[in-house]
Amino acid sequence: MVKLKVKDVEFSYASVPILKNVCVELAESEMLSVVGPNGAGKSTLLRCIDRILSPQKGCILLDERDIKKISRMELAKKVGYIPQSTTSIFSATVFDVVLIGRRPHISWRSSEEDTEKVLETLQMLNIEEFAMRDINELSGGQQQKVFIACALSQEPDVLLLDEPTSNLDIRHQLEVMDIIKTIVREKRIAAIMAIHDLNLAARYADKIIMMNSGKIFSAGDPVSVLTPENIKHVYGVESEVMDKRGRPHIIPIRPVGFV
Amino acid sequence: MKMTSSAETKTGLEKRAEIKAQYKKFVGRKILFILSSLILIFIIAGVSATLGSYPITVIEVYSIIWQGILEIFQNAVFIMSHGIKKFYQTYFTTKEIVIWGLRLPRIIMGILAGIGLAIAGTTMQGVVRNPLASPYTLGIASAASFGATLAIILGAGFVTGKYIIIVNAFVFALLSSFIIYGLSRYKSATPETMILAGIALMYLFSAMTGILQYFGEAEAVKEVVFWMFGSLGRASWDKLSLMSIIIAFCIPLIMLKSWDLNALGVGDERAKSLGVNVEQTRIVCFVLASLVTAGIICFTGTIGFIGLVSPHMCRMVIGGDNRYLIPASGLFGAALLLGADTIARTIIAPVILPVGLITSFMGVPLFLYLIMRKRKEYW
């Protein structure tokens, strides 16, 4: 069943076009990776889907309803967004940060149910031991898990992630990706992830779209999108793509035309 | 996610219970802090009321306040028809008049100003997400000072008579915040726009005040300087009723926004995705905080530092959750201001220093000590 449909979306910042004719379809329990060079419009696409930005043309349908017709608060119960890096955040315990994710569901007092949800999410991400620690004392990888927990306690149907693995060591990269994959399967969430690491994208995504200057250059399963030709055209990089257990593995060789 | 065996599930449940207990304890600590601040206010108020040329003991103070409340309720009709002065003369002894007529208004003004300034500071810090923000960051103090200066030096104002300084200070304070409101509506309400606009306005109003002072009479200039120090000496029941109306209106509204302020703390984009209307929250909270600040400093002058120091001290003790931080910093601010005023009245008695000077003299060393002693980041 189609959960999310992005139809002919166009977006420009003060007449500089960022997105042109972007169409995406995503079903529940599906994980889509958006790849492309810097400035290709990956983050802008995520922001449009969460209505942080409003596209000038086209529409975005969530369960066949136009998101423009859904109130902010209602949308917040359906779409969770984990932006790239955080501006320094105020001092708060991990528990309280995750509790903030319950915002769309609570009025003023948090209920027993909210507490239970927070505990459940902390357990899911295996960060219970940090619950009472201050978030600013944690490492980058641990903080990222806290923010994922924050978005999950929102109980969204669609999860948007902007570079969830940037600044993380390889162990945390894999942990975070495994967690996301598991959540997508178990909670039947649809996830869209903007990501730079082509190998992580190839390994975890069900579908990949490759963007180039605001347009979708190629879309499909990892094998059909991550080809040497596409990578050369979009990134200007010569590469070798190998097959690792049915998933492509990319080894970049050199920038095209660079001596 | 790995499958968990039954043994592991049990430890999982235990872990949960443990975290829950810890969290409950944490919340308990916050509530304890709020209650302690209340008790502290009560004690300082009692001590403060004994100070002055007419000797009254602490015990007497509390019983006079209690008796007075009963008598006022019993004779409400009489007060309505004959006025408060007549009531004092008819029903109150000298001691009661000293407490109710002279000392209590000053104490209550201290409490209200402390609550208001500290909460306005907490709100501003949340709104612009900056630890340096205070009720005065966005130029409100210099605008109010300009309004007061205009009244004192030129005698020009929106009204005539004894309220001219108050009304001028209030109107100009709000004017500056409406300029910032307008600018941030026109651009977008980001912390940077607001802070920069606020600082620009601060310079503009200071310069205008400077011009008036440059050409003003020496006596009038001295009065302006006195006004700017901030003092509780001008307290009266009429002023307190106006002040409490503004505070009683604004502070519950700010408290209703606690969750949204918390969400702003984790970044604008995250807050938006949580369904918070970021720009609106920022503007509403800013306007409410400005209104509270204006409503206080037009009566007291610019009492500094409480609005900066109280939120930070409370944040160090109870953390950043605005649901608890706002009431805690308000009450703690009231205790601080009242304490400072008590010292201002005793340190070189019978001379009474302006409380605005004492808040900085006491507050700064205490604040620096706390910052040095604190090992972990709290902001």
Side-chain angles (χ1 to χ4, degrees):
Chain A
M1 193 189 116
V2 179
K3 188 82 202 164
L4 182 82
K5 200 170 185 175
V6 177
K7 242 164 83 183
D8 305 321
V9 161
E10 290 194 29
F11 179 83
S12 36
Y13 276 117
S15 80
V16 181
I18 308 292
L19 295 179
K20 283 170 270 182
N21 260 322
V22 174
C23 299
V24 179
E25 266 191 27
L26 194 64
E28 59 184 28
S29 303
E30 221 173 17
M31 184 142 139
L32 171 76
S33 284
V34 184
V35 299
N38 292 327
K42 305 186 293 290
S43 303
T44 309
L45 176 62
L46 295 187
R47 287 187 192 129
C48 284
I49 295 173
D50 202 20
R51 233 179 74 191
I52 292 171
L53 300 173
S54 302
Q56 281 88 357
K57 267 193 199 164
C59 61
I60 294 162
L61 304 174
L62 182 67
D63 290 322
E64 293 169 3
R65 276 177 71 194
D66 193 330
I67 60 160
K68 273 186 226 152
K69 298 196 175 89
I70 303 177
S71 76
R72 268 234 146 272
M73 213 37 103
E74 206 187 327
L75 191 67
K77 290 179 190 165
K78 293 176 193 266
V79 182
Y81 173 49
I82 302 165
Q84 197 164 358
S85 58
T86 30
T87 41
S88 70
I89 92 151
F90 74 138
S91 145
T93 61
V94 167
F95 191 99
D96 279 328
V97 172
V98 179
L99 187 63
I100 289 174
R102 297 294 300 162
R103 172 70 184 83
H105 302 273
I106 37 184
S107 48
W108 199 82
R109 280 184 66 92
S110 49
S111 66
E112 194 66 15
E113 191 201 332
D114 296 312
T115 312
E116 288 300 327
K117 265 272 143 17
V118 171
L119 290 169
E120 189 190 310
T121 320
L122 289 172
Q123 192 170 27
M124 205 190 306
L125 289 164
N126 208 7
I127 47 173
E128 292 150 299
E129 50 186 309
F130 308 128
M132 282 300 132
R133 292 262 299 275
D134 194 297
I135 180 152
N136 292 308
E137 293 172 3
L138 303 182
S139 76
Q142 292 162 346
Q143 282 187 1
Q144 187 62 281
K145 286 186 192 170
V146 175
F147 288 127
I148 292 173
C150 178
L152 284 178
S153 71
Q154 232 171 303
E155 301 186 289
D157 299 338
V158 176
L159 195 58
L160 308 170
L161 304 107
D162 199 348
E163 295 289 345
T165 57
S166 62
N167 302 326
L168 302 190
D169 63 47
I170 48 169
R171 184 183 166 98
H172 276 108
Q173 287 184 10
L174 295 179
E175 279 185 16
V176 162
M177 293 299 274
D178 278 333
I179 287 167
I180 297 166
K181 186 95 181 167
T182 317
I183 294 161
V184 165
R185 293 278 178 276
E186 284 182 0
K187 304 239 157 196
R188 305 186 66 78
I189 287 175
I192 304 185
M193 180 188 301
I195 189 163
H196 273 305
D197 190 321
L198 297 179
N199 286 320
L200 279 182
R203 186 162 151 182
Y204 286 94
D206 301 309
K207 286 203 283 188
I208 291 189
I209 60 176
M210 189 183 267
M211 292 183 68
N212 192 18
S213 36
K215 283 185 215 154
I216 293 179
F217 180 78
S218 170
D221 59 65
V223 177
S224 66
V225 175
L226 298 172
T227 61
E229 296 74 36
N230 285 350
I231 293 170
K232 188 174 173 185
H233 188 275
V234 168
Y235 289 92
V237 169
E238 275 177 33
S239 61
E240 215 174 286
V241 175
M242 304 190 307
D243 182 75
K244 285 268 180 208
R245 295 183 217 103
R247 297 269 182 179
H249 183 78
I250 297 101
I251 300 161
I253 299 172
R254 69 178 79 79
V256 178
F258 194 85
V259 190
Chain B
M1 227 61 7
K2 280 158 268 157
M3 287 297 289
T4 41
S5 72
S6 63
E8 273 175 288
T9 324
K10 200 182 165 198
T11 59
L13 281 176
E14 275 170 9
K15 254 193 216 168
R16 270 197 192 196
E18 197 184 309
I19 298 169
K20 228 163 142 179
Q22 280 176 350
Y23 190 71
K24 283 229 170 82
K25 216 171 118 193
F26 187 44
V27 172
R29 206 170 86 194
K30 297 179 195 183
I31 292 168
L32 185 69
F33 182 85
I34 293 174
L35 291 178
S36 320
S37 303
L38 261 176
I39 294 169
L40 200 60
I41 294 176
F42 189 69
I43 293 169
I44 300 175
V47 173
S48 178
T50 63
L51 301 173
S53 48
Y54 197 98
I56 299 170
T57 65
V58 181
I59 307 291
E60 278 178 302
V61 168
Y62 291 127
S63 86
I64 289 172
I65 293 173
W66 177 239
Q67 291 300 328
I69 291 171
L70 293 180
E71 280 184 59
I72 287 172
F73 271 110
Q74 280 160 11
N75 301 298
V77 183
F78 182 86
I79 298 174
M80 295 284 203
S81 53
H82 294 82
I84 192 94
K85 276 223 177 80
K86 185 84 182 160
F87 166 75
Y88 283 159
Q89 287 160 6
T90 325
Y91 290 92
F92 271 10
T93 62
T94 318
K95 269 186 186 174
E96 287 175 317
I97 294 175
V98 168
I99 294 291
W100 276 89
L102 299 173
R103 297 182 186 172
L104 214 47
R106 185 185 184 108
I107 289 167
I108 292 176
M109 184 173 261
I111 294 172
L112 288 180
I115 291 176
L117 290 175
I119 288 181
T122 315
T123 313
M124 287 293 190
Q125 285 163 14
V127 162
V128 299
R129 217 186 297 129
N130 188 317
L132 296 175
S134 82
Y136 304 143
T137 307
L138 302 178
I140 221 177
S142 42
S145 300
F146 174 70
T149 310
L150 206 60
I152 295 168
I153 293 182
L154 295 183
F158 298 93
V159 293
T160 50
K162 62 172 181 171
Y163 285 113
I164 180 171
I165 299 177
I166 294 168
V167 173
N168 263 21
F170 185 75
V171 171
F172 274 96
L174 282 191
L175 186 73
S176 82
S177 52
F178 277 105
I179 294 173
I180 293 171
Y181 167 76
L183 289 174
S184 43
R185 278 310 281 265
Y186 178 70
K187 281 267 302 166
S188 60
T190 62
E192 291 78 12
T193 330
M194 293 174 89
I195 292 177
L196 288 175
I199 289 176
L201 282 182
M202 187 189 84
Y203 276 105
L204 179 68
F205 282 114
S206 312
M208 297 202 299
T209 308
I211 288 177
L212 289 180
Q213 286 180 318
Y214 190 77
F215 292 108
E217 300 283 335
E219 269 307 303
V221 172
K222 196 175 168 198
E223 205 190 324
V224 169
V225 172
F226 269 57
W227 188 89
M228 285 185 191
F229 284 151
S231 135
L232 301 174
R234 296 179 280 262
S236 75
W237 288 111
D238 315 342
K239 290 178 185 170
L240 286 176
S241 54
L242 291 172
M243 208 159 140
S244 48
I245 288 169
I246 293 178
I247 289 179
F249 172 74
C250 296
I251 287 177
L253 291 178
I254 291 177
M255 287 175 75
L256 278 178
K257 286 272 177 193
S258 301
W259 270 111
D260 291 353
L261 280 174
N262 282 353
L264 285 190
V266 290
D268 281 9
E269 292 204 320
R270 226 182 284 280
K272 276 183 196 169
S273 88
L274 289 169
V276 175
N277 187 335
V278 169
E279 309 225 316
Q280 192 209 5
T281 301
R282 206 163 252 144
I283 288 174
V284 167
C285 290
F286 156 68
V287 169
L288 288 171
S290 301
L291 204 58
V292 171
T293 312
I296 290 165
I297 64 175
C298 70
F299 294 113
T300 62
T302 49
I303 298 172
F305 219 62
I306 293 285
L308 181 71
V309 90
S310 176
H312 282 294
M313 286 182 177
C314 296
R315 219 176 255 120
M316 287 174 192
V317 182
I318 66 163
D321 185 344
N322 283 295
R323 288 179 300 162
Y324 300 97
L325 182 63
I326 291 173
S329 79
L331 294 173
F332 190 67
L336 272 181
L337 186 54
L338 210 52
D341 190 52
T342 309
I343 291 172
R345 288 164 62 197
T346 46
I347 196 159
I348 49 168
V351 178
I352 297 174
L353 288 172
V355 68
L357 297 182
I358 300 295
T359 48
S360 304
F361 265 123
M362 282 187 9
V364 175
L366 185 60
F367 193 41
L368 288 178
Y369 167 74
L370 283 173
I371 292 173
M372 290 301 148
R373 215 198 55 167
K374 196 82 185 173
R375 261 161 288 135
K376 64 174 189 178
E377 291 289 316
Y378 70 93
W379 170 264

